[in-house]
Amino acid sequence: MAPGGGRGFSRGGRQRSFGETEAEFSKFINKAVITEEQAGPYVPEHRFNDFAIGEHLKKNIAAKGYELPTPIQDKAIPHALVGQDVVGLAETGTGKTAAFLIPLIEKVTTKRGERVLVMAPTRELAVQIEKELAGFARGMGFRGMVAVGGANIGPQITALRHEPAFVIGTPGRLKDLMERRALNLSGFGTVVLDEADRMLDMGFIDDMRFILGTMRTERHTLFFSATMGKDIEKLIGDFLVNPVIISVKTRDTSKNVDQDIVRIPRGGDKFGTLVELLAGQAFNKVLVFGRTKHGVERLARDLKRAGIKADSIHGDKTHGARQRALAAFKEGKVSALIATDVAARGLDIPAVSHVINYDLPSTYEDYVHRIGRTGRADMKGQALTFVEERFGR
Ligand code: AMP
């Protein structure tokens, strides 16, 4: 972790933000330079055609436009295909979802009655995984379902009666469904923990342990995490058997993201500055980060009043409302999506033009997560961080 990148801490009752000191705020400035860090692009060892997977799956992968495996896919798929436990140290944007879906779809199509449980930290990530699954599994005759909190539990109970091959959910709701006897894990031989470090951060540890504890011990476990702390090591030690550990190192911030600050002088008009920026033509798909759910909601409302096509995404909104806001943003009906850190985590939104940190992140890690929403898939992006000058820096 970078210097000063620890957890936000409380000082005089106020939550300290990352970037309040000169040394920290210099981290918000980094001109994107188009120079390759490596000698060239990653050269995978395999092509999708080399993997021991069915023709139908190969066709669906090609139909999604994937030409070559990403590093995590290249390294993890062969091991997962032969049933080995895998630890993938990789973050969103590396192609980790397909790294576990491809071998597990192969498994489900070749082993009768095989079922897979996927645990993910947020509703949005679960929905995204299911969408990706639907693309890869098109025409294969099995399905997946999403079991997340914040959505009505009734339809999820009904969907589980059909015994879908993939159940993708957040730990809290999965546990709830188990306690209601709607979900019985005895038929599940495979489990994926996606963004395990985030699940720990979000306080899901007890639910995760409960769920894993009820599964049979001779199972296949795939485990993904962006970071490897003590708690993560402990979980791996407790629940995986001789895993292959694959680490996909990425730079902490993307070289495709131009990072700069917007200084707000003492007594300056922060909101007015945001409106001016958002009115600019290039700012057509902007993710704006606020610190609290309430602040995010208010900012979206004020922006709408100022004539900006804005919507919000945070934990107080229902699952449906969050999905609608996300869809409107993806389709370009909304040009500014105002989000909290938790709600935006793991979201894959193509072609975000700008990330604006209207409120400072709590930690450097949160900053890296935020700006990772732009400059993806080799497109250039810009990250702007509002820095309020308190003492005339
Ligand atoms: P993930 O890290 O799983 O969230 O994936 C990030 C993005 O990369 C998603 O939009 C995927 O659809 C895309 N992606 C994953 N694997 C590949 C691949 N081999 N080729 C092209 N795009 C990919």
Side-chain angles (χ1 to χ4, degrees):
M1 177 166 294
R7 290 257 136 240
F9 55 85
S10 188
R11 189 199 275 158
R14 191 176 67 83
Q15 179 79 6
R16 184 190 177 285
S17 301
F18 177 79
E20 287 186 349
T21 65
E22 198 76 33
E24 285 177 346
F25 104 14
S26 66
K27 289 211 147 265
F28 300 143
I29 307 170
N30 182 13
K31 292 288 160 202
V33 273
I34 305 295
T35 48
E36 273 302 332
E37 283 215 304
Q38 304 165 347
Y42 176 76
V43 182
E45 213 178 298
H46 309 92
R47 300 181 152 265
F48 285 114
N49 273 331
D50 300 336
F51 293 132
I53 56 177
E55 288 307 315
H56 193 150
L57 180 52
K58 284 181 185 166
K59 247 180 37 209
N60 286 354
I61 294 170
K64 272 181 74 87
Y66 292 12
E67 285 171 12
L68 289 171
T70 65
I72 186 77
Q73 293 161 6
D74 193 34
K75 296 191 171 116
I77 291 173
H79 294 285
L81 276 172
V82 294
Q84 261 177 300
D85 282 2
V86 173
V87 172
L89 298 173
E91 36 194 293
T92 309
T94 54
K96 65 182 169 61
T97 315
F100 64 78
L101 284 181
I102 290 171
L104 296 184
I105 289 169
E106 178 62 20
K107 190 169 182 180
V108 161
T109 50
T110 50
K111 269 180 100 175
R112 252 180 79 98
E114 180 71 28
R115 298 183 75 189
V116 177
L117 181 73
V118 181
M119 281 190 245
T122 63
R123 309 157 193 185
E124 280 73 17
L125 183 58
V127 168
Q128 229 162 261
I129 294 168
E130 200 277 330
K131 272 206 184 123
E132 194 140 347
L133 170 68
F136 285 131
R138 175 161 296 166
M140 290 185 172
F142 67 85
R143 53 178 151 180
M145 62 95 50
V146 172
V148 293
N152 200 338
I153 201 165
Q156 294 177 7
I157 293 173
T158 311
L160 282 169
R161 288 201 194 111
H162 298 287
E163 305 203 335
F166 280 78
V167 175
I168 304 156
T170 45
R173 178 53 63 94
L174 289 170
K175 183 173 176 228
D176 197 354
L177 287 161
M178 288 165 70
E179 284 169 349
R180 289 170 190 242
R181 309 213 178 284
L183 175 63
N184 176 350
L185 294 184
S186 59
F188 288 74
T190 307
V191 63
V192 178
L193 289 99
D194 196 12
E195 302 199 359
D197 49 351
R198 292 283 150 226
M199 290 199 277
L200 293 190
D201 280 356
M202 292 171 72
F204 281 135
I205 182 68
D206 292 340
D207 294 344
M208 289 157 76
R209 283 188 175 274
F210 171 85
I211 295 165
L212 289 168
T214 61
M215 292 185 80
R216 45 182 203 248
T217 42
E218 74 295 358
R219 57 154 193 269
H220 187 193
T221 308
L222 306 180
F223 186 104
F224 292 83
S225 174
T227 54
M228 177 76 133
K230 275 224 152 53
D231 294 346
I232 290 289
E233 269 182 50
K234 173 115 185 50
L235 257 187
I236 293 171
D238 288 350
F239 291 104
L240 279 75
V241 180
N242 293 329
V244 191
I245 300 179
I246 297 160
S247 171
V248 176
K249 274 273 156 260
T250 47
R251 262 186 57 153
D252 56 354
T253 61
S254 164
K255 66 181 186 322
N256 296 329
V257 184
D258 192 286
Q259 302 165 62
D260 210 344
I261 55 167
V262 176
R263 286 174 190 271
I264 310 291
R266 258 187 103 174
D269 183 5
K270 188 179 174 189
F271 177 72
T273 307
L274 178 65
V275 172
E276 240 172 70
L277 278 175
L278 292 177
Q281 242 194 350
F283 287 70
N284 53 27
K285 197 166 244 175
V286 187
L287 203 50
V288 180
F289 282 95
R291 186 187 265 284
T292 63
K293 299 175 204 172
H294 190 67
V296 159
E297 189 57 38
R298 198 177 45 218
L299 186 57
R301 185 198 63 203
D302 292 347
L303 284 171
K304 275 189 249 177
R305 285 192 186 145
I308 304 287
K309 287 186 281 174
D311 207 337
S312 64
I313 181 162
H314 56 75
D316 278 351
K317 280 197 154 183
T318 62
H319 178 59
R322 289 160 74 162
Q323 286 302 115
R324 278 194 296 281
L326 195 57
F329 185 60
K330 283 190 179 177
E331 290 160 17
K333 290 183 190 139
V334 155
S335 58
L337 187 66
I338 326 300
T340 55
D341 288 285
V342 170
R345 200 146 273 160
L347 287 186
D348 181 39
I349 307 164
V352 169
S353 63
H354 298 75
V355 167
I356 295 182
N357 297 307
Y358 188 73
D359 293 331
L360 290 176
S362 303
T363 63
Y364 179 64
E365 210 181 337
D366 281 342
Y367 176 71
V368 173
H369 269 282
R370 285 180 177 190
I371 73 162
R373 309 298 113 216
T374 185
R376 301 180 89 170
D378 280 336
M379 280 182 290
K380 219 154 156 229
Q382 195 182 26
L384 293 173
T385 301
F386 279 40
V387 177
E388 291 174 81
E389 302 195 325
R390 287 166 213 277
F391 317 104
R393 278 188 214 264

